[in-house]
């Protein structure tokens, strides 16, 4: 059995972990079931798929970063608040008449700096990232609500045609440019995680931090860089979301932290760090998005999605434990 | 170059003098002198909390001593990080801390020292091939460099960690309780790995609570007690019973 596994691994390369095949299977089954059973074929209507992909891309871009960070052994619970804050920065600066590309760059820098602050508090302040980012989650939400007065703010970038099409341009009937951005980020992060030495440091740091440190890996720096990547991706998602909705809401991104962790875990990322892969994380994000979409189509109350996510996290963790235990018994 | 007085034929590799280490109010190392020659095998023993791990962590750059000097090949050196000690050719194998269990053998062997092409991308093939060579060199024949450490036995894991040290041309390998929690057969494997290091002329510091293990491989034995060096004896001048009595009593007198 081990031989088969090894051969498969060689064939697929370390790029695609064998375990992500199961996740792909779940996604396909889910899509098939929804395509067949959702009344009126609403699930596979082009406008629903377009919706799913445009929201899914924003969500998945954040999950890519959060998953990377989880592999390094840390969490970022502040992603939802930072999403709202970055949207606010974008909308505010845009309303001042600054060039939108410049506004986008400033927003990205904001995200990166916020990520770095999270990283510094966690590593240099020696505070569990779970706690540290719970703090920054409340902090940035508070700042955002205060600065915006809690009001919705319209923000129409459509007169800047090129700018708008870079972020949400239509490609055919269903695709929009944010999906291309997502794929670009996934491929880059996949190469970094699985083919670059930094990826090896990320895995080592999350799997056994003391070993990594005794092998002269600067684990604090590795974690800070991962936090910065999360911040950048959240800021990017904030930009496309704001451009897509042409508005800012101080409540955007509430509850996002749970969904992000659920997506990463469903995609095969270990809550204890050291394990995971980009393809799985990518698929996991879409499983969560599709389930959310299915609840909407089925007209189920929104709160039910949380119960579903909670069950999925527990199921994934249990499955992970089972696989782990059976592997130990084989030896 | 060598400042070794006692035996002009062997070269001194590492010497530490007057080492003090505090953890807050705890005085974990008290004026400790320690040395090891090239190719020598020193057993480091002592009761729980005697300061063994602390001493070797000072050598490997994990801790910094508040006082004392370290010489490597006769020259004074500052070891302030694991990077510094690695640059000198000192490799430390910590029990349960040496390897990342969910990563492959080759990713572990090259952890922190990955061979890369332009832009820092990994030379996967080189990593895999050299890992297998490094393992064979230790007499370890494993199926693939891509299996994860968690599927290996305890003895094999120590073998991988020691193979890694060897592959990077270590001059001094430090093993902190490499035989703890291993089966009898695995212990024999690990002791055989250590003997291989010795045959290759690599100096070894070996920490254990099992004096029989020490006696089967060490040239010299250093005893620590409550942070102080209690004894520094050639193996041929002592025996297991005397030594264990010494450790239990905790004083020479
Ligand atoms: N990081 C630390 N912080 C505080 N105190 C420490 C630390 N590391 C070691 N100590 C203390 O220093 C003393 C020596 O510990 P050390 O780990 O070196 O002992 P040891 O000889 O390796 O023991 P053992 O055989 O149990 O591994 C102990 O009193 C211990 O509590
Ligand atoms: Mg110890």
């Amino acid at each position: 059995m081990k031989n088969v596994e090894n051969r498969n691994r060689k064939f697929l390369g370390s790029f695609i972990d064998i375990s992500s095949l199961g996740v792909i299977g779940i996604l396909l089954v889910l899509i098939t079931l929804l395509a067949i059973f959702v009344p009126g074929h609403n699930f596979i209507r082009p406008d629903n798929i377009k919706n799913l992909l445009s929201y899914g891309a924003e969500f998945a871009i954040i999950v890519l970063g959060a998953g990377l960070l989880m592999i390094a052994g840390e969490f970022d619970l502040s992603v939802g608040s930072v999403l709202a804050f970055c949207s606010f920065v974008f909308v505010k600066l845009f309303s001042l008449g600054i060039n939108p590309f410049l506004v986008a760059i400033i927003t990205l820098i904001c995200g990166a700096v916020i990520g770095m602050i999270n990283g510094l508090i966690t590593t240099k302040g020696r505070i569990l990232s779970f706690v540290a980012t719970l703090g920054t989650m409340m902090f940035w939400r508070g700042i955002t609500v205060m600065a915006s007065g809690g009001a919705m703010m319209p923000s129409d970038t459509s007169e800047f045609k090129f700018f708008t099409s870079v972020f949400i341009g239509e490609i055919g009937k269903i695709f929009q440019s944010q999906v291309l951005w997502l794929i670009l980020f996934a491929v880059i992060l996949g190469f970094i995680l699985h083919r670059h030495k930094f990826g090896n440091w990320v895995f080592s740091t999350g799997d056994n931090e003391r070993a990594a440190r005794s092998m002269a890996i600067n684990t604090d720096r590795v974690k800070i860089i991962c936090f910065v990547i999360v911040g950048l991706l959240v800021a990017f998602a904030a930009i496309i979301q704001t451009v897509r909705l042409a508005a800012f809401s101080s409540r955007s991104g509430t509850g996002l932290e749970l969904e992000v962790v659920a997506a990463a875990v469903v995609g095969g990322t270990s809550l204890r760090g050291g394990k995971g892969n980009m393809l799985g994380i990518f698929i996991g994000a879409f499983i969560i998005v599709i389930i959310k979409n299915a609840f909407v189509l089925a007209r189920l109350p929104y709160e039910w999605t949380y119960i579903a996510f909670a069950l999925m996290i527990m199921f994934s963790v249990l499955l992970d434990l089972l696989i782990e235990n059976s592997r130990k018994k084989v030896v | 170059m060598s400042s070794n007085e006692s035996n002009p034929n062997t070269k001194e590799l590492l010497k530490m003098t007057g080492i003090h280490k505090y953890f807050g109010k705890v005085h974990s190392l008290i004026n400790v002198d320690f040395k090891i020659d090239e190719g020598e095998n020193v057993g480091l023993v002592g009761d729980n909390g005697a300061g063994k791990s602390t001493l070797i962590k000072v050598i490997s750059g994990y801790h910094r001593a508040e006082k004392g000097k370290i010489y490597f090949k006769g020259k004074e050196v500052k070891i302030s990080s694991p990077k510094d000690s690695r640059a000198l050719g000192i490799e430390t194998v910590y029990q349960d801390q040496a390897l990342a269990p969910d990563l492959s053998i080759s990713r572990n062997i090259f952890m922190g020292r990955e061979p890369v092409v332009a832009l820092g991308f990994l030379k996967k093939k080189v990593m895999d091939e050299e890992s297998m060579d490094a393992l064979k060199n230790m007499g370890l024949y494993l199926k693939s460099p891509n299996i994860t450490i968690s599927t290996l036995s305890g003895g094999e894991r120590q073998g991988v960690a020691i193979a890694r040290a060897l592959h990077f041309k270590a001059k001094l390998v430090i093993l902190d309780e490499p035989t703890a929690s291993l089966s009898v057969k695995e212990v024999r494997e690990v002791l055989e790995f250590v003997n291989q290091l010795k045959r290759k002329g690599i100096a070894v510091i070996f920490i254990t609570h099992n004096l029989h293990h020490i006696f089967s491989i060490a040239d010299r034995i250093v005893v620590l007690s409550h942070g102080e060096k209690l004894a520094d004896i050639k193996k041929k001048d002592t025996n297991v019973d005397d030594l264990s009595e010494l450790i239990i009593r905790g004083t020479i007198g």
Side-chain angles (χ1 to χ4, degrees):
Chain A
M1 206 192 100
K2 230 187 207 162
N3 266 334
V4 177
E5 196 177 304
N6 284 338
R7 212 160 354 112
N8 274 337
R9 266 180 189 242
K10 224 174 224 161
F11 171 65
L12 294 161
S14 61
F15 194 80
I16 297 172
D17 201 280
I18 198 82
S19 60
S20 55
L21 291 181
V23 188
I24 294 173
I26 293 174
L27 181 70
L28 293 180
V29 169
L30 198 62
I31 291 173
T32 314
L33 288 178
L34 290 172
I36 296 169
F37 291 111
V38 170
H41 297 299
N42 276 340
F43 181 73
I44 44 170
R45 269 176 209 277
D47 58 334
N48 188 52
I49 292 179
K50 186 176 164 187
N51 232 328
L52 223 150
L53 283 178
S54 58
Y55 173 74
E58 287 158 16
F59 177 70
I61 283 173
I62 297 173
V63 176
L64 294 178
L68 178 77
L69 181 65
M70 281 170 68
I71 296 173
E74 300 294 341
F75 293 92
D76 188 347
L77 299 184
S78 72
V79 286
S81 303
V82 176
L83 182 83
F85 179 74
C86 287
S87 299
F88 175 73
V89 168
F90 182 88
V91 169
K92 188 76 201 167
L93 293 179
F94 181 74
S95 74
L96 297 176
I98 301 172
N99 176 290
F101 281 107
L102 188 59
V103 173
I105 289 169
I106 297 172
T107 308
L108 289 173
I109 293 171
C110 262
V113 170
I114 290 173
M116 183 175 306
I117 294 172
N118 280 337
L120 287 172
I121 299 175
T122 302
T123 56
K124 306 300 174 195
R126 294 175 184 243
I127 298 171
L128 285 176
S129 58
F130 217 89
V131 178
T133 58
L134 191 67
T136 56
M137 165 173 125
M138 294 190 248
F139 179 82
W140 293 112
R141 181 68 65 188
I143 294 283
T144 309
V145 173
M146 245 186 323
S148 66
M152 291 267 292
M153 288 156 72
S155 172
D156 191 355
T157 60
S158 58
E159 62 176 296
F160 297 91
K161 288 214 162 56
F162 179 61
F163 176 82
T164 308
S165 66
V166 164
F167 289 100
I168 59 163
E170 308 240 332
I171 306 160
K173 276 210 175 86
I174 291 174
F175 280 96
Q176 288 181 289
S177 41
Q178 56 265 54
V179 178
L180 292 185
W181 283 110
L182 167 65
I183 292 168
L184 179 72
F185 291 144
V187 170
I188 291 174
L189 286 177
F191 268 103
I192 288 177
L193 184 61
H194 300 287
R195 291 291 191 201
H196 194 273
K197 65 179 176 188
F198 183 74
N200 206 35
W201 302 349
V202 170
F203 277 116
S204 310
T205 300
D207 199 7
N208 190 343
E209 187 172 351
R210 302 180 78 162
R213 269 199 287 160
S214 63
M215 290 294 116
I217 292 174
N218 186 339
T219 55
D220 284 355
R221 196 164 63 196
V222 169
K223 289 178 181 181
I224 292 170
I225 291 172
C226 289
F227 273 108
V228 169
I229 291 173
V230 176
L232 273 171
L233 292 174
V234 170
F236 194 92
I239 296 168
I240 44 180
Q241 188 174 73
T242 313
V243 173
R244 176 171 67 92
L245 301 175
F248 154 83
S249 153
S250 62
R251 294 196 49 217
S252 85
T254 40
L256 188 66
E257 54 289 334
L258 178 70
E259 292 172 25
V260 164
V261 171
V265 170
V266 167
T269 314
S270 166
L271 283 169
R272 284 156 291 152
K275 240 195 296 182
N277 69 90
M278 267 305 143
L279 183 67
I281 290 169
F282 183 96
I283 305 282
F286 274 96
I287 290 178
I288 294 293
V289 169
I290 286 174
I291 289 178
K292 253 176 99 166
N293 182 248
F295 274 69
V296 173
L297 294 178
R299 295 181 200 287
L300 289 171
Y302 184 73
E303 308 81 70
W304 288 33
T305 52
Y306 284 100
I307 296 169
F309 296 156
L311 289 175
M312 284 176 66
I313 291 182
M314 285 189 274
F315 178 74
S316 305
V317 170
L318 276 179
L319 199 69
D320 181 51
L321 277 178
L322 281 177
I323 293 171
E324 188 87 336
N325 287 343
S326 67
R327 198 169 59 175
K328 281 199 181 119
K329 258 173 224 143
V330 171
V331 174
Chain B
M1 190 183 132
S2 168
S3 54
N4 192 324
E5 328 83 12
S6 54
N7 188 349
N9 293 328
T10 54
K11 280 197 197 149
E12 179 187 280
L13 184 63
L14 176 94
K15 188 168 84 172
M16 307 166 85
T17 56
I19 299 289
H20 288 267
K21 175 71 199 166
Y22 296 85
F23 291 106
K25 286 204 176 104
V26 182
H27 202 167
S28 293
L29 294 174
I30 306 165
N31 201 23
V32 173
D33 296 335
F34 180 85
K35 64 158 219 147
I36 184 165
D37 289 335
E38 284 181 7
E40 195 184 14
N41 195 323
V42 175
L44 188 56
V45 297
D47 220 340
N48 290 110
K52 306 180 295 293
S53 297
T54 307
L55 182 66
I56 61 113
K57 281 177 180 166
V58 168
I59 302 176
S60 59
Y62 215 86
H63 291 324
R64 278 189 87 159
E66 273 79 22
K67 250 167 66 190
K69 289 195 161 81
I70 306 176
Y71 302 86
F72 197 79
K73 292 189 170 176
K75 261 190 277 174
E76 186 172 353
V77 289
K78 288 260 174 295
I79 302 178
S80 45
S81 73
K83 213 173 192 153
D84 293 345
S85 79
R86 281 187 121 182
L88 293 171
I90 301 170
E91 292 282 332
T92 312
V93 177
Y94 299 100
Q95 165 92 49
D96 284 339
Q97 289 174 32
L99 303 169
D102 290 324
L103 296 196
S104 68
I105 292 174
S106 72
R107 277 178 177 270
N108 265 284
I109 286 184
F110 289 97
M111 190 191 289
R113 280 181 295 207
E114 297 82 359
V116 290
V117 293
L119 296 173
F121 287 98
L122 300 174
K123 289 184 182 168
K124 272 293 275 164
K125 230 178 123 190
V126 171
M127 283 170 67
D128 288 351
E129 283 167 7
E130 287 191 9
S131 298
M132 288 316 264
D133 288 347
L135 294 176
K136 272 183 209 139
N137 205 359
M138 289 293 308
L140 251 175
Y141 296 89
L142 299 173
K143 268 166 284 179
S144 151
N146 288 313
I147 50 182
T148 59
I149 296 296
S150 60
T151 61
L152 301 179
S153 74
E156 287 169 338
R157 288 178 204 197
Q158 293 296 335
V160 170
I162 296 170
R164 173 170 67 187
L166 193 63
H167 182 74
F168 286 99
K169 311 259 179 298
K171 297 187 183 75
L172 169 61
V173 174
I174 303 171
L175 301 158
D176 192 352
E177 304 196 28
T179 51
S181 73
L182 293 188
S183 72
V184 177
K185 180 170 155 281
E186 288 173 346
V187 166
R188 222 177 322 134
E189 275 170 24
V190 170
L191 294 180
E192 180 48 34
F193 294 146
V194 177
N195 272 325
Q196 298 232 27
L197 289 177
K198 194 169 165 180
R199 264 178 251 133
K200 292 182 162 99
I202 297 165
V204 176
I205 302 174
F206 190 100
I207 300 180
T208 177
H209 285 282
N210 189 317
L211 296 180
H212 296 280
H213 297 168
I214 287 280
F215 264 78
S216 66
I217 50 172
D219 303 314
R220 187 159 56 88
I221 292 151
V222 171
V223 184
L224 289 181
S225 171
H226 301 290
E228 287 184 278
K229 190 161 90 173
L230 193 59
D232 191 336
I233 330 165
K234 290 243 161 64
K235 179 170 73 178
K236 60 177 165 40
D237 298 334
T238 184
N239 59 56
V240 172
D241 292 337
D242 287 357
L243 212 55
S244 57
E245 164 116 31
L246 185 64
I247 292 169
I248 292 163
R249 214 173 40 205
T251 67
I252 302 176

